Amino acid sequence: MKKRIRLSAILLASALSTGLLSGCGNTSESNGSATTAANDTVEITNVSYDPTRELYEAYNELFASYWKGETGQTVEVTQSHGGSGKQALEVANGLEADVVTLALEGDVDAVRDAGLIEDGYTAEFDNDSAPYTSTIVFLVRKGNPKNIQDWDDLLNEDVGVITPNPKTSGGARWNYLAAWYYFEKQGQSEAEIEQSMKTLYQNVLVLDSGARGSTTSFVENKQGDVLLAWENEEFLTLEEYPDEYEIVIPSVSILCQPTVAVVDEVVDTRGTRDVAEAYLEYLYSDEAQKVEAENFYRPSNETILKEYTAETDGNTITSIPEDGKWIITNNLDLTNIEHFGGWTQATEKHFADGAVFDSIYEGES
């Protein structure tokens, strides 16, 4: 695996390249949807998952300003969003991406397995190439009319659940594993857990292909009593629809680690490795970490994380805190993917064709 070029080295190389080529005109190389203009403009594509639209709209402006100031070069970022599993499949099948910023390592693995990303990509950037994290919480309607407080409440016959399809959505896989962990913590046997999961999914009214589609089903189409979703999706809903929804923090959940990676085959073909690596590296900068927190993702920088962490004993959030401290860490038992043996093992057991999810959700293939 190529060693990661540190940000300063990337900028130096880019500046030297721009300077050396400054007299060569404004030639460009075109390959699919992306174009690289060596002198003054570079274009890259970031293929991401549903709930990151707002985050990367803000981050792209921040990075473009930074890159322009450091290199004199204009960078234009094309975004693609959808269910994380579906997005990974699209890239593996030819959708051109300089970088992927997907919902989980397992989806990036699919791009690697297609020969587009080299082994060892999780060591390319800090924190296993996860610059920010999240977790799964509940969104209910104002007043919580069904009194939904924890995962077992989702088994009640009168509760309609909205969650995306774990066959196409990375966020949906986090939802599923968080629920599984809860029932495991209750001391249930594997057979009992499977029965609880089957009951839960019998209460699911619609399986959208991605997390943003599920938010639309719950918020705009008024379907269901509870939405299982990333923190950022739910806080964005509180922000957009004040006094209409509440967030309920369950007793247990899972630490979600969205994974980023440079698509080696693409950047080496297009000559965009420097800017692509810098684009992901800069996600760890203090400025970017604050943008991530302001878009309701948990920063990996512990100091900045603390700036946005609240002290509260309750498990219900009815509005965006005025002081900006939205992150709840107390009274929340977070597991992680290692509890399930890592993504390869978790996928084989739960999400592959014919695995546990297919057996508990009738009609899925």
Side-chain angles (χ1 to χ4, degrees):
M1 184 64 182
K2 295 181 179 69
K3 293 182 179 179
R4 180 182 54 169
I5 303 172
R6 301 304 300 180
L7 200 51
S8 58
I10 293 172
L11 295 171
L12 177 61
S14 178
L16 288 173
S17 175
T18 302
L20 289 171
L21 293 171
S22 61
C24 298
N26 197 25
T27 59
S28 64
E29 296 176 356
S30 179
N31 185 346
S33 62
T35 301
T36 302
N39 290 338
D40 52 17
T41 302
V42 59
E43 297 181 9
I44 61 173
T45 298
N46 174 12
V47 174
S48 195
Y49 63 103
D50 267 335
T52 61
R53 287 175 171 86
E54 294 79 8
L55 168 60
Y56 281 106
E57 284 176 5
Y59 175 70
N60 290 344
E61 290 185 9
L62 178 69
F63 178 74
S65 176
Y66 168 77
W67 187 255
K68 182 77 169 180
E70 294 290 334
T71 70
Q73 200 175 42
T74 297
V75 59
E76 297 177 355
V77 183
T78 299
Q79 288 293 130
S80 173
H81 297 277
S84 185
K86 185 174 183 294
Q87 291 288 80
L89 183 61
E90 293 284 351
V91 175
N93 288 337
L95 175 62
E96 191 172 72
D98 298 86
V99 300
V100 289
T101 56
L102 296 175
L104 48 93
E105 180 184 333
D107 289 336
V108 182
D109 283 346
V111 183
R112 179 203 60 192
D113 293 345
L116 301 176
I117 295 175
E118 297 177 14
D119 290 337
Y121 68 87
T122 57
E124 288 288 286
F125 302 97
D126 292 340
N127 301 309
D128 297 322
S129 292
Y132 44 82
T133 64
S134 187
T135 191
I136 302 303
V137 291
F138 302 162
L139 186 70
V140 299
R141 305 191 190 282
K142 183 178 180 180
N144 195 2
K146 296 295 178 70
N147 193 29
I148 297 165
Q149 301 295 331
D150 219 332
W151 295 95
D152 53 350
D153 295 322
L154 307 185
L155 308 186
N156 295 337
E157 290 184 1
D158 65 338
V159 171
V161 178
I162 301 296
T163 183
N165 189 342
K167 307 290 278 192
T168 56
S169 166
R173 295 189 176 192
W174 292 118
N175 293 352
Y176 172 102
L177 293 175
W180 185 283
Y181 178 65
Y182 172 83
F183 296 120
E184 181 182 311
K185 289 280 289 184
Q186 300 306 300
Q188 293 186 6
S189 67
E190 184 122 337
E192 290 171 332
I193 296 173
E194 289 190 21
Q195 184 56 53
S196 293
M197 295 295 289
K198 184 173 184 177
T199 302
L200 192 161
Y201 278 91
Q202 286 173 340
N203 285 347
V204 174
L205 302 182
V206 58
L207 283 178
D208 290 288
S209 63
R212 183 55 58 87
S214 285
T215 301
T216 299
S217 292
F218 185 75
V219 174
E220 297 183 16
N221 299 338
K222 307 299 183 183
Q223 294 178 290
D225 302 295
V226 57
L227 170 69
L228 312 184
W230 305 85
E231 282 176 316
N232 76 291
E233 282 292 272
E234 304 199 356
F235 277 99
L236 287 173
T237 300
L238 290 192
E239 194 171 61
E240 188 172 356
Y241 299 91
D243 298 324
E244 293 188 35
Y245 299 93
E246 298 176 359
I247 294 172
V248 175
I249 311 297
S251 62
V252 306
S253 193
I254 191 165
L255 179 66
C256 307
Q257 293 179 287
T259 303
V260 304
V262 173
V263 184
D264 297 294
E265 182 73 17
V266 172
V267 299
D268 288 341
T269 298
R270 299 187 62 243
T272 53
R273 177 173 287 278
D274 286 355
V275 64
E277 290 190 346
Y279 180 80
L280 298 184
E281 176 81 18
Y282 196 63
L283 285 166
Y284 294 86
S285 69
D286 288 354
E287 295 81 5
Q289 291 276 294
K290 290 180 179 179
V291 167
E292 290 149 23
E294 289 163 2
N295 282 272
F296 307 110
Y297 281 95
R298 299 183 176 211
S300 57
N301 182 306
E302 290 292 332
T303 300
I304 296 175
L305 177 70
K306 290 178 182 177
E307 293 179 16
Y308 293 86
T309 298
E311 294 183 7
T312 178
D313 294 327
N315 74 328
T316 299
I317 302 168
T318 59
S319 62
I320 305 294
E322 292 184 3
D323 61 5
K325 296 180 181 293
W326 61 270
I327 299 172
I328 307 296
T329 57
N330 60 299
N331 302 321
L332 178 59
D333 178 6
L334 286 182
T335 190
N336 57 46
I337 191 58
E338 295 308 317
H339 179 77
F340 297 92
W343 274 111
T344 298
Q345 186 172 326
T347 299
E348 290 175 354
K349 177 176 180 178
H350 295 281
F351 307 117
D353 289 347
V356 174
F357 177 74
D358 284 352
S359 73
I360 67 173
Y361 190 79
E362 295 177 359
E364 283 295 303
S365 59

